[in-house]
Amino acid sequence: MRALQMVRYKSDPELVDVAQPEPGPGQVVIKVGGAGACHSDIHILYETAGEGDTPWRLPFTLGHEAAGWVHAVGSGVRGLEVGRAVAVHGAWGCGACSRCRAGVENYCEHPVPQGGLGIDGGMAEYLLVPEARHLVPLPDGLDPAAAAPLTDAGLTPYHAIRRSWPKLGPTATAVVVGVGGLGHMAVQILKATTAARVVAVDTKEEARDLARSLGADHVVAPGETAAKEIRGITDGRGADAVFDFVGSDATLQLGVATSRPLGDLTIVGIAGGSYPLGFFSVPYEVSIQSVYWGSRSELVELLDLAARGLVRPEVTIFPLEKAPEAYRALHDGTLSGRAVVVP
Ligand SMILES: [Zn+2]
Ligand SMILES: [Zn+2]
């Protein structure tokens, strides 16, 4: 079968022929219906230093955001009939540690490689899922190509926003910084699950227009006056929650400058920026956190929201043969919403 693989460090991914996987005991092979191209793949492909910087063995198939149909099940797998539409919860944990037992596999204490992140992922005709528990049946009304981006571009902001729900009542303001693959979902998730007013920040006018069309109450261009503008929108109080989908020095600075005391500043983007943390550098009792992906139960909730039409990923479809173009467009910042590769 065809697969898009990371073959070497600091290089473009390559389309190659590989053997079709067979499920072992407890495993499931899905026929891929869609696999999303994520910004973290760009980081993996071009920004990791090389051998020794990661625990991976190259080559492996990219794609940590996938959905499809059950194609074959291994012995011992129950409740997943062939042909069933499923989403893959991609944060594969060991399944045995206390975090995994509590359902928080995204913070597994004995991390194992995840599909598309060190072992074969979904940018291929078929995907081997090593444990049946990683699959979530799709509710009626959701097809795999539309569901694929929900498993990361949707789930990651859903998790980030969900943990700030208690702070996002009717008088609150939430700020979304960066309206890309994840940020455009964040705007919708905030509107669907909270009563807060939503302010979206992006350098690109098209992205700000997209945010507005998805329900953002205000859009702001970054720059010298952005923090003042956002403070103005909140009657000078500042934002109760800032979700930073960029994570650069500049966006962290903006996040701190617009945070209200007792607020949340959540770093989702992996630009690797920093901000000096100290008694005098941030408003009182602002909680600052980074987040990684989300749990399977959160994915179930998000799929339900999507099946009811309350959130919808903006997708640009690429056939598998054109997957390298999807990554080029993602790298060049010319995509609107999420690139989904359909084999
Ligand atoms: Zn990702
Ligand atoms: Zn674990």
Side-chain angles (χ1 to χ4, degrees):
M1 64 172 188
R2 299 290 275 164
L4 184 77
Q5 292 203 323
M6 176 167 179
V7 177
R8 63 193 82 75
Y9 290 92
K10 295 190 189 297
S11 313
D12 293 334
E14 289 176 23
L15 273 167
V16 296
D17 285 309
V18 296
Q20 190 177 319
E22 303 274 346
Q27 301 182 329
V28 180
V29 168
I30 68 162
K31 180 170 166 42
V32 176
C38 181
H39 218 278
S40 54
D41 294 332
I42 299 291
H43 176 77
I44 291 161
L45 286 164
Y46 303 108
E47 289 155 25
T48 39
E51 222 72 50
D53 193 34
T54 71
W56 313 326
R57 230 185 287 145
L58 268 49
F60 64 86
T61 303
L62 291 162
H64 55 269
E65 176 180 272
W69 300 271
V70 173
H71 175 72
V73 298
S75 61
V77 175
R78 263 173 226 104
L80 282 172
E81 70 280 17
V82 170
R84 185 83 174 85
V86 288
V88 182
H89 175 243
W92 300 347
C94 72
C97 74
S98 62
R99 293 293 188 216
C100 285
R101 281 202 306 272
V104 194
E105 290 203 38
N106 46 325
Y107 298 132
C108 173
E109 288 165 319
H110 309 291
V112 293
Q114 297 157 341
L117 300 165
I119 55 171
D120 289 343
M123 295 256 169
E125 290 166 62
Y126 296 91
L127 165 66
L128 175 68
V129 179
E131 305 276 354
R133 71 170 187 280
H134 301 315
L135 295 174
V136 177
L138 290 185
D140 288 343
L142 261 189
D143 71 84
L150 294 168
T151 66
D152 178 18
L155 179 57
T156 302
Y158 184 77
H159 170 70
I161 290 164
R162 197 185 197 288
R163 63 196 301 289
S164 290
W165 275 354
K167 297 184 183 182
L168 293 173
T171 61
T173 300
V175 174
V176 172
V177 182
V179 186
L182 278 70
H184 90 285
M185 292 303 299
V187 170
Q188 299 178 65
I189 293 163
L190 282 162
K191 295 306 286 187
T193 66
T194 80
R197 60 180 65 71
V198 176
V199 181
V201 182
D202 201 286
T203 50
K204 287 188 294 181
E205 197 181 347
E206 313 86 83
R208 296 196 295 274
D209 289 345
L210 175 64
R212 206 182 276 117
S213 75
L214 296 173
D217 300 282
H218 303 270
V219 295
V220 171
E224 304 250 298
T225 59
K228 215 172 140 210
E229 227 178 299
I230 294 169
R231 288 217 162 256
I233 291 165
T234 62
D235 289 330
R237 292 193 296 245
D240 300 84
V242 177
F243 303 98
D244 184 348
F245 293 97
V246 181
S248 66
D249 287 356
T251 58
L252 291 178
Q253 214 168 359
L254 177 68
V256 171
T258 54
S259 283
R260 183 184 187 185
L262 293 167
D264 280 342
L265 169 53
T266 303
I267 306 163
V268 189
I270 57 170
S274 59
Y275 187 87
L277 181 61
F279 189 89
F280 297 104
S281 70
V282 290
Y284 293 122
E285 294 199 34
V286 167
S287 300
I288 301 178
Q289 51 265 312
S290 57
V291 288
Y292 180 70
W293 228 327
S295 69
R296 189 172 64 230
S297 64
E298 288 169 331
L299 178 59
V300 171
E301 294 175 356
L302 178 62
L303 292 172
D304 198 277
L305 280 180
R308 284 185 284 146
L310 295 170
V311 300
R312 192 176 58 85
E314 266 320 285
V315 301
T316 307
I317 301 282
F318 291 81
L320 184 56
E321 291 301 315
K322 294 210 165 138
E325 287 173 32
Y327 280 103
R328 224 160 295 134
L330 184 62
H331 183 265
D332 297 342
T334 56
L335 275 173
S336 170
R338 196 67 153 178
V340 174
V341 171
V342 174

